[in-house]
Amino acid sequence: MNPESPESPAPIVTGGILPGMAAISMFLLLVTMLNAFAALRGIFGAGAAKYGIFGVCTLLVIGVFGFLRLRRWGWALVTAGCLGMSIGDIYYFSHSHVAFFIVRALLELCFFLYLVRPQVREHLRS
């Protein structure tokens, strides 16, 4: 079969990082860093919530670096992190009625919807 013939399927391009993937990674690193510093200052309390935030931040940072290496487990952690942060921000908005939380929740929900697209998943390695 001739590779230039019209009946041959187009090759699937794998291995490159998309601009949206890089932007989501930078956003998550920024949010994770801000949450970690807020936990250090005691914003979330001194008990289990503080250490829970540190655990979630650690998982997100590990996921972001795995995602930048185009690993599926990194993609899974980043996707779950975007959805979880969106749900958390909707919860905060419902209790505090601060518009910042709903804007950030919608942005994170858009990131989640971008990450579950088949074109993004095609770029990942196992």
Side-chain angles (χ1 to χ4, degrees), residues 12-35:
I12 297 174
V13 179
T14 59
I17 189 165
L18 298 172
M21 296 164 73
I24 291 169
S25 298
M26 289 188 301
F27 174 79
L28 287 179
L29 284 175
L30 177 72
V31 169
T32 302
M33 182 179 62
L34 292 175
N35 282 336

Side-chain angles (χ1 to χ4, degrees), residues 94-116:
S94 68
H95 286 289
S96 66
H97 301 290
V98 177
F100 166 76
F101 290 119
I102 197 67
V103 170
R104 195 169 76 175
L106 292 174
L107 181 67
E108 292 158 352
L109 187 61
C110 288
F111 288 165
F112 170 76
L113 293 174
Y114 175 81
L115 289 170
V116 297

